[in-house]
Amino acid sequence: MARIRRAAQSAPQEVLVPEAEQPYAVPENWRWVRLGGICSFIGGGTPNKNIPEYWNGNIPWASVKDIKGKFLYNTLDSITESGLRNSSSNVCDLDDIIIVTRISPGNVAVAKTVLAVNQDLKIVKTQLNNLFLYYCFVCLKNEFIARSSGTTVLGITLSRVQEICVPLPPRAEQERIVARIESLFARLDKAREKVDAVLGRCAARKAALLHKAFSGELTAGKAIKNILLEDIVLDIKIGPFGSMLHKDDYISNGVPIVNPKHIEGQKILVAINNTISKDKAEELAVYALKENDIVLGRRGEMGRCAPVSCAESGWICGTGSMIIRLKPEYNAKFYSLFISSCQGMRYLEEHAVGTTLKNLNEKIVRKLPVPSFSQQEQAEIVRILDELLARERRAQEAAERVAARIEQIKRAVLTKAFRGELGTNDPAEPAALTEQGSLSLA
């Protein structure tokens, strides 16, 4: 296999963090250090997509979509030796840390196989306990996001990663901390498995309800036929281009902009800092939402949509969303529920374009097959679904509260771990770093 090509790196001159810059106190034999002083970061790349012999080889090739859990065993894509040689991609070693620096900055995994990475990932080399460093990165997720920049896609530069401060205990303490974290997490994970089973049953019941609704089983009537979404719309419009909205256009408590992150559970949320002035809204009036529209996220999670009520009328469709303006006889809530159903999402996922970040365009959405019901049947189905889905929502929310509490406890465990408060530290052990900043691995 081709060897790793290491890019030139500029580590910070100082490994140790001056006392004035240390975020909080740690045990005396711990040291505050910068990531650039204790880790090296190796970037990746993508072979030319237009050269078939670079792809579908024997080298697993990781991208952001593969970094989903603690361990990375396999990847969706693979490349050949030739693809590796003719790109800037690099190969990690077993148990190396893989950190995401773009799109989902701060996501992290431990490589459990030898694999290559793309340009949105970094291979992290260290002399520390790898699992200790993994949990450290988990704690740093919010720090990565805070140091990232970008409007459509977030990214963090390597220099900003290297500057991040972390508490470093002696090597033996690193290992005890990992053992203690994993013991506590094992119990919490068992509880989470039970919660996930409840949530799975909720999702299955909801999917079954929606299937019955759109096949006509909830009412005496049945779907006349499947038609195309374009047959029932007045217009479908993608939100304004990014160049039409600038960072300095945003104000507090103005006219809300609706992007995918503001659409949740068939509701449109308002973010008071994601608004524009009335004058700017008038400039973008062609993108204003109207009652009985559907606003659909066109990036990332497919099927993320919500009907527009009179309360959101006049809000502006964002760059990452699109407006579906229905003919008056069609019910936005009914068709929004259909778009977010398994059937609707399956179509959108199969037809979306893009590799790293899936996208929808107007043509794709226009050709979405939808059921045709009378106006009266649409209203009756929505009424029945409102009642039945409300029960499922209450059960789901109760389970989600338990899941949130479990995650809260996990965060508390990690906070204590990296403050030296798990009761595992031995103050007699020498520090992991000398006062001059050199690693001591004894």
Side-chain angles (χ1 to χ4, degrees):
M1 186 174 287
R3 64 184 179 83
I4 291 178
R5 295 174 296 280
R6 297 176 183 267
Q9 299 169 53
S10 55
Q13 291 184 349
E14 299 295 331
V15 176
L16 294 170
V17 178
E19 188 173 353
E21 297 177 31
Q22 296 173 11
Y24 52 83
V26 292
E28 287 189 9
N29 60 339
W30 290 34
R31 297 286 183 265
W32 274 102
V33 298
R34 301 191 192 280
L35 279 178
I38 58 171
C39 303
S40 60
F41 299 85
I42 301 167
T46 301
N48 191 323
K49 294 280 188 181
N50 297 318
I51 302 180
E53 55 264 34
Y54 289 174
W55 294 92
N56 301 316
N58 63 347
I59 304 172
W61 181 79
S63 61
V64 174
K65 59 180 179 279
D66 296 305
I67 313 299
K68 293 180 178 178
K70 179 179 177 182
F71 295 122
L72 178 55
Y73 289 98
N74 48 53
T75 61
L76 294 174
D77 300 301
S78 62
I79 60 176
T80 62
E81 290 276 355
S82 178
L84 180 64
R85 282 195 306 272
N86 290 282
S87 73
S88 56
S89 185
N90 280 305
V91 175
C92 73
D93 293 319
L94 192 65
D95 290 328
D96 277 350
I97 304 295
I98 308 295
I99 189 80
V100 179
T101 54
R102 187 174 173 272
I103 302 175
S104 302
N107 283 6
V108 63
V110 181
K112 301 309 288 184
T113 187
V114 174
L115 51 85
V117 302
N118 84 347
Q119 63 275 10
D120 300 325
L121 311 178
K122 296 288 184 292
I123 300 166
V124 185
K125 298 285 186 180
T126 183
Q127 293 178 293
L128 310 183
N129 180 295
N130 274 32
L131 284 177
F132 174 85
L133 187 61
Y134 164 80
Y135 286 117
C136 185
F137 276 125
V138 171
C139 275
L140 291 171
K141 170 72 176 177
N142 289 337
E143 182 77 9
F144 269 72
I145 293 172
R147 289 172 176 260
S148 296
S149 58
T151 50
T152 304
V153 176
L154 280 180
I156 183 170
T157 63
L158 181 55
S159 61
R160 288 186 175 182
V161 173
Q162 291 172 320
E163 291 169 356
I164 293 175
C165 305
V166 296
L168 181 64
R171 177 66 184 231
E173 173 63 357
Q174 294 171 32
E175 293 167 359
R176 290 192 294 268
I177 287 173
V178 168
R180 183 64 173 151
I181 289 173
E182 300 209 320
S183 172
L184 294 170
F185 277 20
R187 301 179 205 171
L188 293 168
D189 287 340
K190 286 183 180 178
R192 181 58 194 259
E193 285 174 9
K194 295 178 181 178
V195 173
D196 287 342
V198 172
L199 289 171
R201 290 193 290 271
C202 288
R205 287 194 297 267
K206 179 181 177 181
L209 280 173
L210 292 175
H211 175 76
K212 287 183 177 181
F214 300 123
S215 63
E217 294 180 42
L218 287 186
T219 58
K222 289 190 176 180
I224 300 170
K225 59 180 178 179
N226 271 344
I227 56 178
L228 298 181
L229 186 63
E230 66 183 359
D231 296 328
I232 66 170
V233 300
L234 295 172
D235 192 20
I236 296 178
K237 185 183 293 292
I238 289 175
F241 292 109
S243 59
M244 299 173 74
L245 271 174
H246 299 96
K247 191 174 182 179
D248 54 7
D249 288 324
Y250 289 93
I251 63 170
S252 296
N253 299 307
V255 179
I257 299 288
V258 181
N259 277 311
K261 64 182 177 182
H262 306 122
I263 305 168
E264 189 174 311
Q266 292 290 310
K267 299 290 185 184
I268 303 173
L269 311 177
V270 59
I272 60 172
N273 294 322
N274 204 77
T275 65
I276 55 175
S277 68
K278 289 183 178 179
D279 288 343
K280 187 65 180 178
E282 286 179 8
E283 287 181 31
L284 300 173
V286 69
Y287 302 104
L289 301 174
K290 294 182 180 180
E291 187 176 1
N292 205 51
D293 285 349
I294 297 171
V295 60
L296 169 67
R298 65 183 187 89
R299 294 174 178 155
E301 180 187 340
M302 297 291 104
R304 194 170 192 166
C305 60
V308 178
S309 70
C310 60
E312 297 93 31
S313 184
W315 293 10
I316 304 298
C317 179
T319 304
S321 304
M322 61 170 62
I323 303 167
I324 301 173
R325 184 149 296 153
L326 298 173
K327 294 176 181 178
E329 64 268 31
Y330 295 96
N331 186 308
K333 191 166 188 179
F334 177 91
Y335 285 99
S336 181
L337 283 167
F338 176 78
I339 292 170
S340 66
S341 71
C342 292
Q343 188 175 343
M345 286 193 296
R346 189 181 306 116
Y347 169 87
L348 296 177
E349 287 169 354
E350 288 174 354
H351 292 82
V353 295
T355 51
T356 304
L357 190 65
K358 292 286 187 180
N359 276 270
L360 297 173
N361 56 43
E362 181 186 336
K363 182 179 178 182
I364 293 169
V365 176
R366 280 188 174 277
K367 299 302 179 183
L368 169 66
V370 297
S372 176
F373 285 89
S374 70
Q375 194 169 4
Q376 183 179 358
E377 285 176 324
Q378 293 171 47
E380 178 64 6
I381 290 170
V382 166
R383 184 192 67 77
I384 295 171
L385 283 176
D386 278 347
E387 180 180 340
L388 296 176
L389 292 177
R391 297 178 194 171
E392 291 302 326
R393 191 157 49 247
R394 287 192 290 272
Q396 179 182 333
E397 287 171 352
E400 286 173 345
R401 285 193 293 273
V402 176
R405 178 57 181 154
I406 290 171
E407 293 308 307
Q408 192 177 47
I409 294 171
K410 281 190 168 184
R411 289 193 296 271
V413 168
L414 291 177
T415 297
K416 285 181 174 290
F418 291 98
R419 287 178 175 268
E421 297 174 359
L422 286 184
T424 56
N425 190 58
D426 180 356
E429 287 177 344
L433 285 179
T434 67
E435 294 295 340
Q436 290 73 39
S438 301
L439 272 173
S440 173
L441 300 177

